[in-house]
Amino acid sequence: EQLTKSYGMFCCLAHFASPEVFAQISTEDLERLANHASSVFSQLATNRKWIKTGVLQKIDKELIECVIPHMKHKNFDTIALQCNLLNDVANLCAARTPGMPCRDFTETILSITNNARVTLMISGWENERNFKKIEASGILGQAIRCITQPSLNKESIQGHLQILEELMKCPMLIQEKFKRGTPTGDMLVSVLEGKDGFKGRRHELVTARLDNILKIASVTNQSTKQSDYSIGQMCRKCSKSARSSEFQSNLLVCGRCKQ
């Protein structure tokens, strides 16, 4: 009960506090929370019940949900990367492979990934450096598995798609980390082949973005900077793409999207 109250208090503080107020929290307190969460998630990754069901107990669910708003704050993100918190969250999700965690947990993975990405970007990190750090933790690969959840609502799917759309602006990173034979690349291939991720009908925009990332990974180095599969050449409504300047100037009103 005491932990529930503490998690709830921390969660509310991180969610509602302005960056200026949150910055006043001592580094020691944030490190204590991050290390505690990291330790709990590391232990849970070997828990038989979790591996079998993909469902967290109430107290553990409260803890990981507490992490979500904390990832909106630069000082906590820095600590989370230093103590490998994102690695432990990723390993917790990966422990369910080839199965998937419960749907609430997949939303949590996506929210943590996106919050970390946005916060680091606002902090001044370049997009490629940002994704390189997140990919190294393993959580980006798990986000790719989780975004195949078919029941994501319209509002959340648009937010989560930003992860993939911003990633597609980093062709050099994709060619290095998402090509076949790399851990994240092989995971992406398995997801697209239906061997990993959620089974059944997936959101068409998700499948289109993932397929485009794999195409970027396959482009030869000589065309890396001007990839034929750049996000700028894809309609964000229907995922149709074409190289013509006419199509590019009318992306938002292509034939399939006028309605």
Side-chain angles (χ1 to χ4, degrees), residues 92-110:
L92 180 58
C93 186
R96 277 284 295 159
T97 306
M100 292 298 294
C102 66
R103 299 183 182 232
D104 286 347
F105 186 87
T106 62
E107 284 273 15
T108 298
I109 288 287
L110 292 165

Side-chain angles (χ1 to χ4, degrees), residues 147-148 152 157 161 164 203-211:
I147 203 171
T148 60
L152 292 173
I157 195 66
L161 279 173
L164 304 183
H203 198 292
E204 60 180 7
L205 292 180
V206 168
T207 301
R209 298 297 190 274
L210 294 178
D211 185 59

